């Protein structure tokens, strides 16, 4: 699976053939791949599942450790940028697969509902100011995706990724929180 993800990250979904993946994995033929996967779509589905497992294992502990709505928002944004530095091939592959293949990522596609619920519950708790939840969620996701795609393409140093994560998190906190300093409520 790692070889497939790395090949997709390097050459893109369209050029990621079984033969390229086999060569990258030092396999003598594509037979081992064909034995486990019915076709390219089946392999891509498995790649997406593997990438989602990796990203979840990296981000979720950081999000779970954050105390309060604002802190969880900040942790999600910052850990998403840090992920680019820790797992660049996985991030690049997922971006390419979601953008170019019929394969879907439940985690990527489910973010809209997750963030809408997070903002609604934060508003109900009096932590987030009143705003249209759908609009802010779309702005958050598209803005974050734009920064992640750019960072994945340019491969900045970890300190730059951390700075980008803080800047973006600060922007979203200032836009949503009652406390413009982004207290941890």
């Amino acid at each position: 699976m790692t070889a497939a993800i790395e090949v997709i990250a390097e050459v893109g979904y369209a050029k990621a053939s079984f033969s390229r993946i086999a060569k990258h994995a030092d396999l003598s033929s594509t037979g081992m791949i064909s034995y486990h996967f019915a076709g390219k779509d089946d392999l891509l589905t498995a790649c997406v599942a593997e990438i989602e497992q990796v990203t979840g294992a990296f981000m979720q502990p950081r999000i779970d450790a954050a105390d309060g709505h604002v802190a969880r928002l900040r942790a999600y944004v910052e850990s998403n940028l840090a992920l680019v530095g820790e797992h660049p091939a996985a991030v690049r592959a997922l971006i390419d697969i979601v953008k170019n293949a019929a394969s879907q990522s439940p985690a990527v596609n489910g973010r809209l509902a997750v963030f809408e619920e997070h903002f609604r519950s934060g508003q109900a708790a009096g932590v987030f100011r009143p705003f249209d939840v759908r609009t802010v969620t779309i702005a958050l996701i598209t803005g974050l995706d734009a920064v992640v795609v750019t960072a994945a393409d340019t491969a900045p140093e970890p300190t730059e990724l951390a700075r980008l994560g803080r800047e973006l998190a600060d922007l979203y906190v200032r836009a949503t929180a009652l406390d413009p300093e982004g207290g941890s409520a």
Side-chain angles (χ1 to χ4, degrees), residues 144-168:
L144 180 58
D145 285 353
V147 173
V148 167
V149 166
T150 302
D153 191 44
T154 60
E157 293 295 318
T159 55
E160 178 61 5
L161 288 168
R163 187 193 68 76
L164 288 169
R166 280 190 310 276
E167 284 290 324
L168 197 57

Side-chain angles (χ1 to χ4, degrees), residues 5 43 52 54-55 60 65 70 72 107 110 121 124 130 148 162 167 178 183 185:
I5 291 168
L43 175 64
E52 288 179 349
V54 167
T55 60
Q60 201 60 54
V70 173
R72 282 192 295 279
S121 67
V148 167
E167 284 290 324
L178 282 176

Side-chain angles (χ1 to χ4, degrees), residues 73 76-77 80-81 107-117 119 133-149 168 172:
L73 172 61
Y76 182 88
V77 172
N80 203 228
L81 267 293
V108 170
N109 296 336
R111 294 177 304 162
L112 189 65
V114 168
F115 273 106
E116 284 181 343
E117 176 53 34
F119 285 137
V133 169
R134 173 57 62 110
T135 302
V136 170
T137 299
I138 292 169
L140 172 101
I141 290 170
T142 57
L144 180 58
D145 285 353
V147 173
V148 167
V149 166
L168 197 57
Y172 292 130

Side-chain angles (χ1 to χ4, degrees), residues 1 18 27 30-40 42-43 46:
M1 194 61 51
F18 277 15
L27 300 174
T30 61
M32 289 289 291
I33 300 169
S34 299
Y35 178 79
H36 292 286
F37 302 101
K40 192 171 180 180
D42 191 29
L43 175 64

Side-chain angles (χ1 to χ4, degrees), residues 38-101:
K40 192 171 180 180
D41 288 341
D42 191 29
L43 175 64
L44 291 176
T45 299
C47 285
V48 168
E50 174 72 16
I51 294 166
E52 288 179 349
Q53 192 279 322
V54 167
T55 60
F58 182 83
M59 292 176 60
Q60 201 60 54
R62 291 158 175 80
I63 296 165
D64 291 345
D67 186 25
H69 288 84
V70 173
R72 282 192 295 279
L73 172 61
R74 180 176 295 286
Y76 182 88
V77 172
E78 290 179 356
S79 67
N80 203 228
L81 267 293
L83 177 70
V84 174
E86 291 292 321
H87 300 283
V91 172
R92 284 193 310 273
L94 184 61
I95 290 166
D96 195 72
I97 291 168
V98 169
K99 184 171 70 172
N100 295 308

